[in-house]
Amino acid sequence: MIETNRLILRRPEAADRPPLHAMWADPAVMADLGPVKSVADSDATLARHASYAPLGFWAVVHRENGKTIGFCGLKPGAAETPIAGTLEIGWMLAQPYWGGGYAREAAAASLAWGWANRCEEAIVAITARQNVKSRGLMERLGMMYDPALDFAHPQFAADDPRRDTVTYRIERP
């Protein structure tokens, strides 16, 4: 679907299921994102994203070795949040691929796809306030912090620090 110098972003296939589940079951990967997922939870996530077509998060595949290394793409903002009805970008990578610029490459390609194929005037990204690495990537992508859209994420318990959610926004170029 989308090709970059080092990555292919495409609809998830059956072969992506084990590496994506391994990523979602990794406590380090999920530390700022949510609870670790069971196999059933992973399958439900894949099904939910398939229902967003032509949007949805895509499998991120390393071109050189053919391995599925993450999940990245665009989806509708969740209905129970202030970003409902907006286009949201998100990403996550398996630990061995952290720090190599893959998340930025996949996210930049997803943004470019969004601008070329969608009519929205802006794209947003959300994360836990404590997620410094994702917030830094949002800024490197040209996104601006929008405190007016911060919220308590309903996915998390009231005492969970991940509930404190920040929103970044980028306007159509």
Side-chain angles (χ1 to χ4, degrees):
M1 179 177 224
I2 300 170
E3 294 190 20
T4 70
N5 288 337
R6 300 181 297 166
L7 304 172
I8 298 169
L9 281 69
R10 58 163 171 69
R11 299 269 171 239
E13 301 171 351
D16 299 319
R17 190 173 165 262
L20 290 175
H21 169 65
M23 180 184 66
W24 287 319
D26 183 338
V29 172
M30 299 304 292
D32 290 318
L33 303 174
V36 295
K37 295 184 184 303
S38 67
V39 172
D41 294 335
S42 296
D43 288 343
T45 297
L46 288 168
R48 185 176 67 251
H49 282 278
S51 76
Y52 300 142
L55 297 175
F57 284 16
W58 303 300
V60 177
V61 179
H62 194 283
R63 287 177 72 141
E64 186 176 299
N65 63 23
K67 291 184 179 180
T68 301
I69 65 169
F71 206 49
C72 182
L74 302 162
K75 70 176 196 68
E80 66 276 8
T81 69
I83 64 165
T86 61
L87 191 57
E88 177 189 356
I89 185 171
W91 53 83
M92 53 191 325
L93 292 179
Q95 264 192 89
Y97 298 93
W98 291 0
Y102 295 109
R104 183 176 185 174
E105 190 171 329
S110 296
L111 286 171
W113 184 93
W115 300 136
N117 293 282
R118 302 291 298 189
C119 62
E120 287 85 356
E121 290 302 314
I123 297 174
V124 299
I126 62 171
T127 194
R129 186 176 304 276
Q130 70 184 21
N131 191 344
V132 175
K133 288 182 180 180
S134 281
R135 293 182 74 178
L137 176 52
M138 291 170 191
E139 291 172 3
R140 288 190 301 281
L141 290 167
M143 302 186 91
M144 303 294 292
Y145 173 52
D146 188 345
L149 294 175
D150 288 355
F151 63 101
H153 202 299
Q155 173 183 333
F156 299 105
D159 62 346
D160 189 325
R162 294 173 295 188
R163 185 174 174 92
D164 185 13
T165 302
V166 296
T167 303
Y168 283 71
R169 178 181 175 97
I170 188 168
E171 301 294 323
R172 178 177 289 282

